[in-house]
Amino acid sequence: MKSIIICEGETDFVFLQHYMEKVNGWNDLSNSNVRPNPSFISSVDNSRSRDFIKNADMLTIISCGGCGNIKTVFEEVIRKNQNEILDEERYSKIVILTDNDETGIEVKIVSELNAVSGNSAQIQNNSWTDLSFTDATQNQFNSELLLLIIPFDENGALETFLLSSIAKQDEYESQIIKKSYDFVEHADPEKRHIDARSFKIKAVFYAYFAICIEPSKKQFSQGDAIFKSVPWEQYENIRDCFKELRNLQETIK
């Protein structure tokens, strides 16, 4: 079975790679002697993709360079599926992960994706939707779509969700996270460096981990250091949010 996860940017892309490897047991094909067909290639500038394997199942994770490109990449995935002759070459499961970073964004994204899919079935957040398509020979095939607009219960980004998950489980860490928010809020009153809400979210995220990552692990690039060092599987809120990603394989043990 082939699956694909479409995400927004670099943070999502790096987090998902480490999460799928560490928590769900997928293997990065760049570290393997196996060389399948080339990964999914998008026309979107600054998109990046990486392939993984688990038993006979294949997974592609693609970063599309921003929320505004998700619709385009979704269209490209559908078109690729329609052009394939063999069912096993199609993406049976499609996951879209994006930020709940402004009021009304969920309605906007759902509306766009429903328009692209052309299905009567209505896509919903945090739920699998069965979608039906017709290929070039007018044969029908199905794909399942899982939309994850996170955080589910507040406006924010993946970084907001990860920090919130840590804070819910550890009161001491919660206090450090609160102080990180306070520091970023007052550190640049003239907004010379942090002039957008998205920058502020990332600044808080990296401020917290600058304190919490062991010095011996800071030899990695900043993103890798964070995602390699944190035991994400120990946080119940994170496991619950991404539990459906276990279904991107034929047989679940």
Side-chain angles (χ1 to χ4, degrees), residues 102-166:
E102 61 183 72
T103 302
I105 192 66
E106 180 174 334
V107 173
K108 179 177 181 290
I109 291 173
V110 167
S111 176
E112 289 181 349
L113 297 181
N114 278 324
V116 170
S117 76
N119 272 246
S120 57
Q122 295 298 295
I123 297 166
Q124 297 181 11
N125 192 18
N126 197 25
S127 177
W128 286 102
T129 305
D130 291 319
L131 301 176
S132 177
F133 301 100
T134 303
D135 66 17
T137 60
Q138 300 306 306
N139 290 318
Q140 185 174 302
F141 66 91
N142 296 316
S143 294
E144 290 183 88
L145 173 71
L146 173 65
L147 175 63
L148 296 173
I149 305 175
I150 60 172
F152 297 136
D153 54 358
E154 62 177 324
N155 288 135
L158 177 66
E159 293 92 339
T160 313
F161 169 73
L162 295 177
L163 291 177
S164 176
S165 298
I166 294 170

Side-chain angles (χ1 to χ4, degrees), residues 162-212:
L162 295 177
L163 291 177
S164 176
S165 298
I166 294 170
K168 285 179 180 179
Q169 198 157 312
D170 191 315
E171 178 57 30
Y172 184 82
E173 298 302 319
S174 176
Q175 292 304 311
I176 298 176
I177 290 169
K178 182 179 183 300
K179 291 174 182 177
S180 298
Y181 273 103
D182 291 343
F183 168 74
V184 170
E185 184 66 34
H186 299 98
D188 182 24
E190 295 183 7
K191 301 189 184 304
R192 293 184 183 182
H193 308 288
I194 306 174
D195 59 355
R197 187 173 183 274
S198 59
F199 294 165
K200 184 179 292 186
I201 291 171
K202 292 185 185 298
V204 173
F205 185 75
Y206 287 116
Y208 167 73
F209 281 106
I211 298 168
C212 297

Side-chain angles (χ1 to χ4, degrees), residues 27-39 50-59:
N27 297 304
D28 187 344
L29 277 173
S30 65
N31 300 324
S32 168
N33 292 325
V34 178
R35 287 292 179 268
N37 292 330
S39 173
R50 204 167 192 117
D51 293 321
F52 297 82
I53 189 169
K54 185 175 183 181
N55 301 322
D57 299 312
M58 299 290 300
L59 169 66

Side-chain angles (χ1 to χ4, degrees), residues 32-49:
S32 168
N33 292 325
V34 178
R35 287 292 179 268
N37 292 330
S39 173
F40 179 83
I41 299 174
S42 172
S43 64
V44 171
D45 290 339
N46 301 319
S47 62
R48 297 176 58 198
S49 64

Side-chain angles (χ1 to χ4, degrees), residues 227-241:
F227 294 116
K228 286 181 178 178
S229 64
V230 178
W232 303 110
E233 70 280 4
Q234 294 181 14
Y235 295 98
E236 182 179 351
N237 196 44
I238 294 174
R239 292 199 313 270
D240 184 61
C241 175

Side-chain angles (χ1 to χ4, degrees), residues 4 9 17 42-43 49-50 64 91 98-99 158 170 181 210 216 222 252-253:
I4 188 167
Q17 290 178 59
S42 172
S43 64
S49 64
R50 204 167 192 117
C64 63
Y91 293 111
T98 188
D99 295 336
L158 177 66
D170 191 315
Y181 273 103
S216 63
Q222 200 170 30
I252 301 174
K253 296 182 179 181

